[in-house]
Amino acid sequence: MIKLHVCLWVEFVFISIPAAPFLLKMSLSTVQSTVSTLKSCQTDIAACMDMISDVALGIVEAQGMDNSSALKKLEDMILECSRLDREINCFVDSVDEMTAQVTQEPPEAMVNLRNSVKGRFTELMAGVSDTDLQRHSKVVAFKDSVRKYAMQGQTPDENEEEELDEDIAVTQSQTNFICPLTQVEMVNPMKNKKCNHYYDQVAVLEMIKCKHKNRKTFRCPKVGCDNKDVRESDLELDLVMKRMIQNHKRQSGKT
Ligand SMILES: [Zn+2]
């Protein structure tokens, strides 16, 4: 279980600030570089949250919703990650705010920076509620995918007509597994929240980066889609879809 607190970072970051004002500029850059290291931790936290969701889907796949205690434990874990992510945001915000203030004040004010950041951080964190933690996009995705995946497992009584429909559904889903950019089966399917189309993660992120570098927008490559501006913030890793592709691959490998 992850239990790392940003307060420790506060101590760590400010240990490097000397009292002598002439070292102020240098120290501020130390603070900034530590803050950016902290920001990069958020990528790991996000990956960790995806992993927790994937484990939950594995449990749902094997046992349905019966193992509620295991699912609850995973939910607690993902909420802990959400808190950690929030703590980093609050800390980064308080450092930004307070350093901006201090640069407009006489150099002596730097000595108090540590305390003012600590104070502001405590203030910001006090305003964080459980609801805020639940609202984290990865926590929402966790719950959605568990629900969606559990529902998928419940197959209704089939009659012949439905079986026929199912065949069509299978063919359709197979084509849906193909990335419109790479034309091969997706590995990490990302869903566009705006137009509901899917692309493979590596391909789409690379494409957006490339277009933006040339000051262009990236148009959704799905035929008939009128979404003219696909942005990274619209994309979300779809773990249910990922699992469906993996299962499909396993099944077709068997035959
Ligand atoms: Zn689209």
Side-chain angles (χ1 to χ4, degrees):
M1 189 88 174
I2 315 146
K3 198 87 197 175
L4 187 147
H5 280 279
V6 176
C7 305
L8 293 174
W9 279 90
V10 182
E11 300 296 333
F12 176 71
V13 171
F14 287 98
I15 246 160
S16 53
I17 298 181
F22 65 88
L23 287 172
L24 177 98
K25 268 215 171 104
M26 220 171 79
S27 312
L28 274 183
S29 72
T30 317
V31 172
Q32 290 310 336
S33 81
T34 316
V35 162
S36 61
T37 312
L38 203 47
K39 276 186 196 162
S40 71
C41 288
Q42 288 183 300
T43 317
D44 297 329
I45 294 172
C48 182
M49 292 173 96
D50 286 337
M51 244 185 279
I52 294 171
S53 295
D54 198 44
V55 172
L57 292 184
I59 290 175
V60 173
E61 190 172 279
Q63 305 168 320
M65 293 299 273
D66 296 339
N67 197 345
S68 57
S69 73
L71 290 174
K72 178 78 184 72
K73 260 184 211 149
L74 290 169
E75 191 180 328
D76 289 344
M77 273 169 82
I78 209 164
L79 283 170
E80 189 64 39
C81 292
S82 168
R83 166 169 292 277
L84 194 57
D85 193 50
R86 201 51 186 261
E87 279 185 359
I88 294 177
N89 284 339
C90 287
F91 180 67
V92 171
D93 287 350
S94 29
V95 169
D96 285 350
E97 274 179 45
M98 294 302 134
T99 44
Q101 239 176 54
V102 101
T103 44
Q104 289 164 9
E105 285 171 14
E108 297 80 57
M110 187 68 191
V111 184
N112 291 322
L113 184 61
R114 176 199 182 122
N115 284 334
S116 55
V117 167
K118 242 177 160 175
R120 184 68 184 129
F121 173 71
T122 316
E123 230 170 74
L124 288 176
M125 275 312 287
V128 176
S129 67
D130 281 350
T131 326
D132 291 329
L133 300 182
Q134 299 271 9
R135 245 183 246 141
H136 191 293
S137 65
K138 296 259 181 214
V139 175
V140 175
F142 168 87
K143 290 187 178 168
D144 280 356
S145 25
V146 165
R147 198 171 32 83
K148 241 166 77 183
Y149 206 55
M151 260 162 44
Q152 228 175 47
Q154 297 165 351
T155 32
D157 293 331
E158 297 150 48
N159 56 39
E160 269 177 44
E161 224 174 350
E162 264 174 348
E163 248 170 67
L164 222 129
D165 283 348
E166 225 173 288
D167 281 349
I168 297 167
V170 169
T171 348
Q172 272 176 348
S173 67
Q174 277 170 3
T175 50
N176 286 345
F177 293 162
I178 305 293
C179 170
L181 289 164
T182 61
Q183 303 303 330
V184 293
E185 211 164 66
M186 293 178 278
V187 181
N188 286 305
M190 290 202 101
K191 184 183 180 177
N192 190 327
K193 286 181 272 181
K194 294 243 169 84
C195 62
N196 292 328
H197 292 130
Y198 284 87
Y199 332 95
D200 193 56
Q201 188 174 36
V202 176
V204 72
L205 293 183
E206 191 55 42
M207 202 60 158
I208 293 174
K209 214 167 92 187
C210 179
K211 290 277 181 185
H212 286 186
K213 213 168 100 189
N214 295 319
R215 296 170 185 279
K216 284 182 183 155
T217 54
F218 172 50
R219 213 196 146 100
C220 178
K222 195 82 187 171
V223 180
C225 181
D226 59 3
N227 185 352
K228 292 190 182 75
D229 188 10
V230 178
R231 289 164 181 268
E232 196 178 333
S233 54
D234 301 333
L235 306 176
E236 204 173 57
L237 190 65
D238 188 328
L239 292 167
V240 171
M241 179 68 117
K242 182 176 176 174
R243 211 158 248 278
M244 278 162 64
I245 296 172
Q246 283 169 346
N247 289 346
H248 167 250
K249 207 176 249 170
R250 254 201 308 270
Q251 273 158 15
S252 52
K254 268 185 208 159
T255 50

